[in-house]
Amino acid sequence: MHSAQQIKALQDKKDIIVMAFESSCDETAAAIVKNGREVLGNAVYTQIAIHREFGGVVPEIASRNHVAKLPIVAEQALLEAGLSFADIDAFAVTSGPGLVGALLTGVSYAKGLSFALKKPLIPVNHMEGHVSANFISDQDLEPPFICLVVSGGHTSILLVEDYGKYRELGTTRDDAAGEAFDKIARVLGLPYPGGPALQELAKGGNDEAYTFPKAFKGETHLDFSFSGLKTAAINLIRKLERQDPDFNKADLAASFQKAVVSTLIKNAFEAARREGMDKLVLAGGVCANTLLRSEADRLSKKYGIALTYPKLAYCTDNAAMIASAAYFTMNRGCAKLDLNADPSLDVTGKTPAYL
């Protein structure tokens, strides 16, 4: 589509303006970011109300809504920035991981703009975007650092050695933390999305009311497992419902939230200790959780580790983080015309196809 010379020419510019698109799940987003850190325009259309009646995301419905809303959020981002397509230096798009149909809508839209306007297209890994959201919120943040990535479908600890260079130190072997929150919220009868609803319920509960099992006792790796914890919570809920249909759900929510957060925090700070890192970064939608943030704040002060996490607007899926990631990784090159969506794209493995 476009040559490596275009990317080289961009890198020689003082200011680079990237317009990005995100459509990996149920948010349709467009954003314009200058030099990877300054957001000029940001528009997000959320489908929460549409999927709430189903208790979760319906992929086909999500894809159809992306098709309808991508041109609208693009126009909104341009209007907010006071720019036109002619002012954009490069386009970027989430190419994976995510729902394949949803990803394809964004990839197709971005490829069309890139081809028509003869501008480079930079494919971005969604997880890389979540990490890069911190470069927007903290203008001084630079690698290396430890990053705890906690989203609806991913839970991992990354050593960010440099921009675009990652080494995985730990990952979930089954459910992601966000999936566990959503599942327990649903069993408790809370609305979608479950994570925020469970957090709100937990505010009025006693987090010491119930004790849940912990995985990997005595093992030295930094992996996570939330399947057993989730099953134990579901069994406890069913038992309590039989004993008293009006049992205190807030206590259960608070205790479950504490169990998940304590495991996340313990492994993240242990990773920082092992790698000798004095910077810890949180990323992903679940890092909006207030208990996770407060516990990370408390331990960062205790151990003298600098802590960074994104502003709430950049925790959940958005395109500003994708534009930021594209800026910091454009040295890889631009996408070919045959760029495809990859629902299982690995942030530490192969990158998308480049020229």
Side-chain angles (χ1 to χ4, degrees), residues 241-261:
E241 286 175 335
R242 290 192 297 270
Q243 295 174 347
D244 178 11
D246 297 320
F247 76 95
N248 192 324
K249 293 182 178 180
D251 286 351
L252 190 289
S255 299
F256 183 78
Q257 178 181 244
K258 179 182 178 181
V260 173
V261 167

Side-chain angles (χ1 to χ4, degrees), residues 53-325:
E53 65 176 295
F54 304 104
V57 178
V58 181
E60 177 65 19
I61 294 176
S63 300
R64 289 178 180 273
N65 277 277
H66 288 316
V67 172
K69 298 299 183 180
L70 274 164
I72 297 173
V73 293
E75 182 179 0
Q76 289 176 336
L78 287 167
L79 285 172
E80 183 179 332
L83 300 174
S84 69
F85 281 128
D87 300 308
I88 304 301
D89 294 311
F91 292 103
V93 67
T94 304
S95 61
L99 302 174
V100 65
L103 288 166
L104 280 169
T105 64
V107 169
S108 299
Y109 185 74
K111 281 201 296 186
L113 285 173
S114 174
F115 181 76
L117 299 172
K118 297 181 173 57
K119 301 289 179 72
L121 175 62
I122 303 168
V124 174
N125 184 297
H126 183 74
M127 291 300 101
E128 198 162 31
H130 276 306
V131 174
S132 300
N134 287 279
F135 298 134
I136 295 172
S137 297
D138 185 348
Q139 299 288 309
D140 298 319
L141 178 66
E142 294 182 350
F145 52 78
I146 296 294
C147 184
L148 172 64
V149 182
V150 199
S151 68
H154 300 83
T155 300
S156 60
I157 300 174
L158 301 176
L159 171 58
V160 182
E161 298 174 309
D162 201 349
Y163 295 110
K165 186 178 181 182
Y166 314 93
R167 179 157 58 90
E168 189 175 77
L169 304 178
T171 188
T172 181
R173 297 192 182 182
D174 38 62
D175 296 340
E179 289 175 316
F181 279 141
D182 287 343
K183 179 63 175 181
I184 298 306
R186 188 169 184 174
V187 174
L188 287 171
L190 301 176
Y192 170 83
L198 187 138
Q199 174 185 269
E200 189 62 28
L201 177 62
K203 289 179 180 179
N206 174 13
D207 63 9
E208 295 183 353
Y210 303 102
T211 301
F212 290 103
K214 294 183 179 180
F216 305 133
K217 292 181 180 178
E219 298 188 40
T220 59
H221 59 72
L222 296 174
D223 285 350
F224 302 96
S225 173
F226 296 107
S227 179
L229 171 61
K230 183 185 69 176
T231 300
I234 293 173
N235 290 339
L236 177 59
I237 292 170
R238 298 310 185 206
K239 176 183 177 182
L240 293 171
E241 286 175 335
R242 290 192 297 270
Q243 295 174 347
D244 178 11
D246 297 320
F247 76 95
N248 192 324
K249 293 182 178 180
D251 286 351
L252 190 289
S255 299
F256 183 78
Q257 178 181 244
K258 179 182 178 181
V260 173
V261 167
S262 63
T263 300
L264 293 171
I265 291 297
K266 173 180 173 293
N267 285 17
F269 277 89
E270 175 61 16
R273 185 193 70 79
R274 291 184 187 183
E275 297 296 326
M277 287 287 162
D278 61 359
K279 287 187 287 187
L280 174 64
V281 166
L282 307 182
V286 179
C287 82
N289 181 277
T290 53
L291 180 62
L292 180 64
R293 289 184 178 225
S294 64
E295 281 298 290
D297 277 325
R298 181 179 67 83
L299 291 180
S300 68
K301 293 180 177 65
K302 178 179 178 180
Y303 296 120
I305 294 177
L307 178 67
T308 299
Y309 42 72
K311 296 177 181 178
L312 290 177
Y314 303 125
C315 289
T316 52
D317 292 351
N318 64 90
M321 68 183 192
I322 303 302
S324 176

